[in-house]
Amino acid sequence: MKFSDRLVSTLRNAQSVCALTGAGISAESGVPTFRGEEGLWKKFRPEELANFNAFIRNPDLVWEWYAYRRKLIRDVKPNPGHFGLVDLERCKKHVTIVTQNVDNLHRRAGSENVVELHGNIERSYCIQCHAFVDEPSPEPLTSVPMCVTCGGLVRPDVVWFGEMLPVEAFSKAESAARHCELFFCIGTSAVVFPAASLPYTALDHGALVVEINREETDLSSRAQEVLIGKAGEILPDLLAQAGIRHEEHL
Ligand code: BJW
């Protein structure tokens, strides 16, 4: 793909970059996205699974869904899209990866400054005493565990609909969006708020906003650069054209 001179030179010169990522960046690793033809929610209805009331109504069903996804995520590896962001972080002064994903793949790839807006599927906590709980068995449990301290139900440490995002994480994300020169919005349908507000914050504060997605989204008409295709192909290609050092990743 041929990229615009504006994009290549901004990428070359920017010292402060923010990247908002969504399920699409992990799709090439084999993690299903949420929406669309291949989306997780073609098979499971979100209102049945991704909210607190659904958990209280049917904790075993919700736990089993997360146990299934946790296992799936453990069996996959980061892909060139994740590694591209690692390369970027290694050659720029300020890079913030703001992710809506709960799959831990940015950290597993080697990214360090990662802000998790929707939690992390690897962690769980007790809804009663709020203690963090390790999943006791390496095999996924098909029924919800109870807290060993107080007997409360254990839930995944993720953000469901109607729940607040972690305050510190969102404030760090907003600050990165306000202060960056270049903002990437990668592999997200950009429909879930408040994460979806971040590209607009970046635009309002003068950043060049670049969307990378397999298809257009609501953001596409506002982003200055819209790159249609797979993140795992576009990102490495773009970084190479900007002369950003590519490192060997395991
Ligand atoms: C590729 C690709 C490749 C594929 N390369 N691209 C009305 C208006 C505004 C807001 C609201 C409203 N009504 C309700 C709300 C609030 C609500 C919300 O935004 N709802 C909207 C759906 C309307 N938000 C909330 O409730 C949030 N909290 C909140 O607002 O708190 C304040 C509050 C408190 C009390 C009461 C009310 C408000 C919380 C949101 C939590 C979202 N949680 C989930 C589940 C996390 C746990 C889990 O993983 O199970 O987070 S939902 C799900 O969506 C998940 C994701 O992080 C999130 C975003 O999805 P994402 O990443 O964009 O994935 P997809 O599948 O949608 O898109 C993938 C994209 O990739 C596609 O575009 C593909 O084309 C692309 N792609 N392959 C590049 N190779």
Side-chain angles (χ1 to χ4, degrees), residues 50-71:
N51 72 72
F52 186 75
N53 291 340
F55 178 65
I56 294 301
R57 256 196 321 271
N58 197 342
D60 287 346
L61 174 71
V62 174
W63 184 264
E64 192 177 350
W65 189 56
Y66 280 94
Y68 155 78
R69 288 174 54 204
R70 207 178 284 121
K71 164 125 182 49

Side-chain angles (χ1 to χ4, degrees), residues 50 66 102 117-119 155-161 163-166:
Y66 280 94
V102 298
L117 292 183
H118 293 164
R155 63 164 282 180
D157 187 10
V158 298
V159 181
W160 284 326
F161 285 113
E163 295 182 328
M164 301 296 287
L165 275 62

Side-chain angles (χ1 to χ4, degrees), residues 145-206:
M146 303 292 176
C147 174
V148 288
T149 312
C150 75
L153 288 173
V154 170
R155 63 164 282 180
D157 187 10
V158 298
V159 181
W160 284 326
F161 285 113
E163 295 182 328
M164 301 296 287
L165 275 62
V167 173
E168 200 181 319
F170 193 68
S171 126
K172 205 172 163 197
E174 270 205 309
S175 168
R178 271 199 305 272
H179 294 109
C180 66
E181 297 150 74
L182 179 58
F183 184 98
F184 285 107
C185 188
I186 306 172
T188 172
S189 54
V191 293
V192 175
F193 284 82
S197 68
L198 293 169
Y200 301 98
T201 302
L203 274 171
D204 289 347
H205 288 79

Side-chain angles (χ1 to χ4, degrees), residues 23 32-36 38-42 65 69 100-102:
T33 58
F34 289 91
R35 300 169 184 83
E38 300 300 315
L40 272 172
W41 291 347
K42 281 283 162 207
W65 189 56
R69 288 174 54 204
Q100 299 168 84
N101 299 344
V102 298

Side-chain angles (χ1 to χ4, degrees), residues 45-97:
R45 288 177 38 205
E47 59 274 22
E48 278 172 23
L49 300 168
N51 72 72
F52 186 75
N53 291 340
F55 178 65
I56 294 301
R57 256 196 321 271
N58 197 342
D60 287 346
L61 174 71
V62 174
W63 184 264
E64 192 177 350
W65 189 56
Y66 280 94
Y68 155 78
R69 288 174 54 204
R70 207 178 284 121
K71 164 125 182 49
L72 187 148
I73 284 162
R74 280 184 189 149
D75 291 344
V76 303
K77 293 195 172 79
N79 68 60
H82 299 105
F83 291 131
L85 294 178
V86 177
D87 292 336
L88 192 63
E89 190 174 9
R90 288 186 184 156
C91 74
K92 299 281 180 197
K93 211 167 174 186
H94 302 290
V95 173
T96 310
I97 317 289

